[in-house]
Amino acid sequence: MKKHREINLRQFLKGLIFVLLLSIGLRVSVLLLYPSNTIFRTWQSFYALDKGEIELLVVGNSHAYSTFDTSVISQMTGMDSYLLATNSQNVVQAYFNVKEALHYQKPETIILEAFALDNNNNWRYGETPDRDWKKEANIDGMRLGLTKLEAVAEQYEKRNWSYALFPIARCHGNWTDIATIGSNLNFYFKGIRNYSSFHPSQTSMSAETAALYAQAGYNPDEWVISGTNELHFHKLVRLCREEGISFYLVMAPMYDVYIRSINYESYTGKIAALAESEGVLYLDCNQYYEEIGLTAEDFEDAFTSYHHLNGSGAEKVTRFVMETVYGQEED
């Protein structure tokens, strides 16, 4: 009997070692083969931070990572900050990103960029209704754990859970892509600690693009916040409250001529009402153009509703937000 137990224990240990080695192998393979993109690298850089290093965390989509200049935050407040913001991130993703981040960091303040409160309910595009490369890259970047499992279960149909949890099935074909492997190796060995999550636009609005905005017709469509985004906004605020974290909702600026061509009152009205329902500060930077000193040259050169700030615009807005938010705290 004793010998039989020893054999079973030996087999169990062998099986456990095999599973561990397989898991490590799969993880290393993903890190080497995953297509180079800022979403995945934003997560890898986050995990490379020292525990407890981050005092201010920003979540949201590209409006967040092109608006908040981490160097300006540091200069003005002395705080270390990180932008855990990703392309097209909605509040569902922001909630799980914060939940995952709190396993490693204990920020004093969290800012959600308000453009994440849109009609995106995470069931769109791709081969099946719930597949989207931006959402996948965000989840792929997270470490395997209970939060990731919860995020997948919340955002994917059951038939696609394995698809979402095992990115190696989507990137194994990159074994022959020397450029991808080389870029990833360079990132992990030379660039991970120098990686910046702040990505402002590198262009400045031209006279031609400004003329296009000036000629645009009025769009009366109302802003829509999806039910899933509204639900997870409440969950995010309450999570911060439970953890004793100051929470702020900030709308990054959009080009003022564009704002006049849309039903902006429906944007800010719905978002302000949602913030008021939780008693959190909502700062709409579009209401403070003169105070911030924004001009057309502070925006990217793109004729689109998703225009972003460039470096000069981001510096102005970050300074204004820090002055307003921390002035609010002191009062």
Side-chain angles (χ1 to χ4, degrees):
M1 177 69 81
K2 183 178 179 181
K3 185 176 180 181
H4 181 68
R5 284 200 298 268
E6 289 176 351
I7 293 173
N8 286 340
L9 179 60
R10 194 179 300 117
Q11 290 175 338
F12 171 76
L13 290 174
K14 285 182 178 179
L16 180 61
I17 292 171
F18 172 78
V19 171
L20 288 174
L21 290 175
L22 179 63
S23 299
I24 293 171
L26 288 174
R27 183 59 182 168
V28 171
S29 297
V30 170
L31 295 178
L32 284 175
L33 304 178
Y34 202 86
S36 304
N37 68 62
T38 58
I39 301 176
F40 193 80
R41 290 186 175 182
T42 292
W43 272 111
Q44 305 317 303
S45 179
F46 172 81
Y47 289 124
L49 297 168
D50 295 330
K51 283 199 172 184
E53 177 180 344
I54 299 304
E55 298 161 280
L56 188 154
L57 185 71
V58 178
V59 290
N61 55 35
S62 56
H63 289 259
Y65 68 59
S66 63
T67 295
F68 293 96
D69 188 330
T70 52
S71 66
V72 172
I73 293 172
S74 178
Q75 291 167 13
M76 293 187 66
T77 67
M79 294 193 303
D80 288 323
S81 58
Y82 196 81
L83 313 183
L84 199 51
T86 60
N87 303 63
S88 298
Q89 184 181 122
N90 64 6
V91 185
V92 180
Q93 294 170 306
Y95 167 74
F96 287 111
N97 285 8
V98 169
K99 196 170 183 179
E100 172 70 1
L102 293 183
H103 293 306
Y104 304 90
Q105 302 292 334
K106 299 298 178 185
E108 300 172 6
T109 303
I110 287 177
I111 293 175
L112 170 67
E113 201 290 312
F115 210 76
L117 284 162
D118 61 9
N119 64 350
N120 178 354
N121 63 10
N122 266 344
W123 300 80
R124 61 192 183 104
Y125 311 141
E127 297 174 25
T128 65
D130 62 348
R131 294 189 186 183
D132 176 71
W133 75 268
K134 296 173 184 176
K135 180 176 67 175
E136 288 154 10
N138 186 57
I139 289 177
D140 291 343
M142 296 172 70
R143 287 178 176 171
L144 183 62
L146 291 178
T147 301
K148 182 169 184 170
L149 294 175
E150 185 183 355
V152 168
E154 183 83 9
Q155 298 179 74
Y156 285 88
E157 296 176 336
K158 288 183 179 180
R159 58 178 173 161
N160 287 322
W161 284 1
S162 60
Y163 166 88
L165 284 170
F166 300 107
I168 189 63
R170 290 179 265 118
C171 64
H172 69 276
N174 288 339
W175 277 115
T176 58
D177 190 341
I178 303 301
T180 292
I181 295 174
S183 176
N184 287 334
L185 285 171
N186 186 65
F187 171 71
Y188 290 111
F189 285 106
K190 296 181 180 179
I192 193 166
R193 285 296 300 187
N194 298 319
Y195 181 83
S196 175
S197 54
F198 171 54
H199 303 293
S201 172
Q202 300 301 308
T203 65
S204 184
M205 189 177 296
S206 65
E208 292 78 11
T209 301
L212 291 174
Y213 280 111
Q215 297 164 10
Y218 180 73
N219 181 358
D221 291 349
E222 290 203 0
W223 185 247
V224 177
I225 302 175
S226 69
T228 53
N229 271 337
E230 187 169 336
L231 171 66
H232 285 82
F233 174 79
H234 292 299
K235 292 175 72 171
L236 177 55
V237 173
R238 289 163 189 170
L239 174 62
C240 291
R241 192 173 291 140
E242 290 168 3
E243 296 291 333
I245 299 170
S246 298
F247 178 87
Y248 299 100
L249 182 62
V250 177
M251 174 69 85
M254 293 177 278
Y255 182 41
D256 58 348
V257 178
Y258 167 76
I259 288 174
R260 291 194 291 271
S261 72
I262 62 174
N263 185 1
Y264 189 70
E265 288 185 3
S266 74
Y267 276 57
T268 195
K270 288 183 173 66
I271 294 172
L274 197 55
E276 185 178 1
S277 72
E278 286 288 355
V280 301
L281 173 68
Y282 170 49
L283 177 61
D284 182 0
C285 292
N286 290 304
Q287 306 295 328
Y288 299 94
Y289 252 73
E290 290 186 9
E291 291 88 337
I292 298 172
L294 288 171
T295 66
E297 288 73 26
D298 292 317
F299 292 89
E300 68 178 341
D301 188 31
F303 182 60
T304 170
S305 59
Y306 299 103
H307 43 256
H308 306 107
L309 291 167
N310 55 27
S312 67
E315 180 179 356
K316 292 177 181 179
V317 173
T318 303
R319 289 189 180 281
F320 174 77
V321 172
M322 292 300 103
E323 289 169 357
T324 305
V325 164
Y326 288 97
Q328 178 80 13
E329 279 194 337
E330 292 168 2
D331 293 340

